[in-house]
Amino acid sequence: MQIKNAVIPAAGFGTRMLPATKSQPKEMLPIVDKPTIQYVIEEAVASGIEDIILIVGRDKRAIEDHFDYSFELEYTLEKTGKLDLLKEVRQISDMVRIHYVRQKEPLGLGHAIYCAKMHVGNAPFAVLLPDDLIISDKPAIRQMIDVYDESKGAVLAVKRVAEQQVSSYGILDAEEIDKQLFMVRDMVEKPSPAEAPSNLAVMGRYILSPEIFSILENLPPGKNNEIQLTDAIRVLNKTRQVYGYAYEGQRYDVGNKEGFLRATVELALKRPELQESFRRYIKDLAVKL
Ligand code: UTP
């Protein structure tokens, strides 16, 4: 079955980016000139996704408006002859179908995914966490859909991390099939370096099968009293093989300040219109440090 649906959970409070996130979703904070959520939706669209189920909380307005037509703006851009900008703005609204589902209370990532049940139905689907920006030639979620098409198992994006970082991630206990593919035996959420079964950390991209919904429905709250997606995937692994896939690409954790700044600097350096002057600025700055 082809993967056409992607779930993007965006109902968290974003406390690590306060006060910027007090009255706007963190997914609308821009990297250079584009909201982070747009990068992630573009990745999904470039991977063949046709329907996005966006799980939102209280402050969804700005996201909805961003992906909707903006009649007054488009009219003004047309009248003033700013046709390139007009085209860019229109493309954002025409890109893909987005369905908004409200998570009334932030009961955890697992619960946020469960909120998509009615829209996803009985088909495998992709999950993209908008905190993780992954820049790659072939979109990361496309790489994972290809692994799913071959294996028919669930697929988790993984990346090797330094020993002192394992306590920030879900870590795999897994058997290596090849350099990029791993068969999951089990997972541990945020272990200490001594407890970690490997340094393979789960990143914010998943391909899941619809059985995950019935598992989530009956799952008790786990760590931090939240319904944890990791707990549900451990149960899923008993009946359907779960794989870890070491995707190709550069990942930025834009849900925290340092990751956000790194993404801003590195993506600005890739922009043709900023490349020359911004590179010069960074070089001069580096000399002063
Ligand atoms: P995080 O753990 O990063 O939480 O959620 P957060 O609230 O967004 O950020 P901080 O830690 O307070 O700064 C991981 C992803 O899961 C979503 C978040 O929006 C984020 O994309 N999420 C989390 C939900 O949609 N609902 C929840 O109940 C929890």
Side-chain angles (χ1 to χ4, degrees), residues 26-125:
K26 69 174 165 187
E27 294 75 17
M28 286 304 294
L29 297 178
I31 303 287
V32 187
D33 55 6
K34 227 195 264 187
T36 54
I37 185 88
Q38 191 181 330
Y39 287 93
V40 175
I41 289 185
E42 284 173 354
E43 178 191 332
V45 173
S47 303
I49 295 295
E50 292 176 359
D51 287 89
I52 305 252
I53 299 106
L54 203 56
I55 313 299
V56 287
R58 219 166 37 85
D59 302 317
K60 65 172 177 166
R61 243 324 265 289
I63 302 181
E64 272 186 347
D65 286 350
H66 183 73
F67 292 102
D68 198 357
Y69 291 119
S70 172
F71 177 74
E72 301 89 334
L73 174 67
E74 288 175 28
Y75 175 77
T76 308
L77 291 175
E78 191 162 16
K79 226 173 71 179
T80 49
K82 294 181 175 155
L83 299 184
D84 284 353
L85 276 177
L86 175 65
K87 195 171 152 208
E88 194 178 337
V89 162
R90 278 222 180 116
Q91 262 169 2
I92 299 171
S93 0
D94 289 335
M95 207 163 28
V96 70
R97 283 191 293 268
I98 305 182
H99 313 271
Y100 297 88
V101 177
R102 192 91 166 211
Q103 185 191 22
K104 289 185 188 152
E105 260 184 282
L107 298 177
L109 175 58
H111 180 260
I113 302 300
Y114 180 73
C115 293
K117 181 182 172 196
M118 291 301 177
H119 285 78
V120 169
N122 200 25
F125 62 101

Side-chain angles (χ1 to χ4, degrees), residues 54-244:
L54 203 56
I55 313 299
V56 287
R58 219 166 37 85
D59 302 317
K60 65 172 177 166
R61 243 324 265 289
I63 302 181
E64 272 186 347
D65 286 350
H66 183 73
F67 292 102
D68 198 357
Y69 291 119
S70 172
F71 177 74
E72 301 89 334
L73 174 67
E74 288 175 28
Y75 175 77
T76 308
L77 291 175
E78 191 162 16
K79 226 173 71 179
T80 49
K82 294 181 175 155
L83 299 184
D84 284 353
L85 276 177
L86 175 65
K87 195 171 152 208
E88 194 178 337
V89 162
R90 278 222 180 116
Q91 262 169 2
I92 299 171
S93 0
D94 289 335
M95 207 163 28
V96 70
R97 283 191 293 268
I98 305 182
H99 313 271
Y100 297 88
V101 177
R102 192 91 166 211
Q103 185 191 22
K104 289 185 188 152
E105 260 184 282
L107 298 177
L109 175 58
H111 180 260
I113 302 300
Y114 180 73
C115 293
K117 181 182 172 196
M118 291 301 177
H119 285 78
V120 169
N122 200 25
F125 62 101
V127 174
L128 296 93
L129 302 194
D131 274 355
D132 278 350
L133 217 65
I134 304 182
I135 307 298
S136 51
D137 291 338
K138 182 174 175 182
I141 203 73
R142 180 72 241 173
Q143 298 174 38
M144 294 170 63
I145 292 173
D146 290 348
V147 174
Y148 169 84
D149 286 342
E150 284 269 310
S151 66
K152 301 294 174 217
V155 189
L156 318 178
V158 296
K159 185 176 180 292
R160 289 197 185 276
V161 295
E163 195 184 307
Q164 62 274 24
Q165 289 181 335
V166 289
S167 54
S168 308
Y169 296 95
I171 301 292
L172 295 191
D173 171 7
E175 185 182 324
E176 185 170 327
I177 299 174
D178 63 40
K179 259 192 143 47
Q180 280 186 285
L181 194 62
F182 303 85
M183 247 165 82
V184 175
R185 279 189 291 257
D186 204 354
M187 290 161 78
V188 194
E189 191 58 40
K190 302 188 171 69
S192 67
E195 291 163 336
S198 74
N199 64 348
L200 289 167
V202 177
M203 301 291 157
R205 300 287 183 276
Y206 310 76
I207 305 293
L208 297 174
S209 48
E211 298 102 289
I212 200 84
F213 293 120
S214 53
I215 297 171
L216 283 166
E217 199 165 285
N218 298 306
L219 200 68
K223 221 171 197 165
N224 302 330
N225 211 24
E226 292 185 341
I227 308 284
Q228 295 284 354
L229 184 61
T230 305
D231 294 344
I233 294 172
R234 290 181 72 204
V235 178
L236 180 70
N237 196 32
K238 292 186 179 142
T239 52
R240 183 181 281 269
Q241 184 59 55
V242 178
Y243 296 91

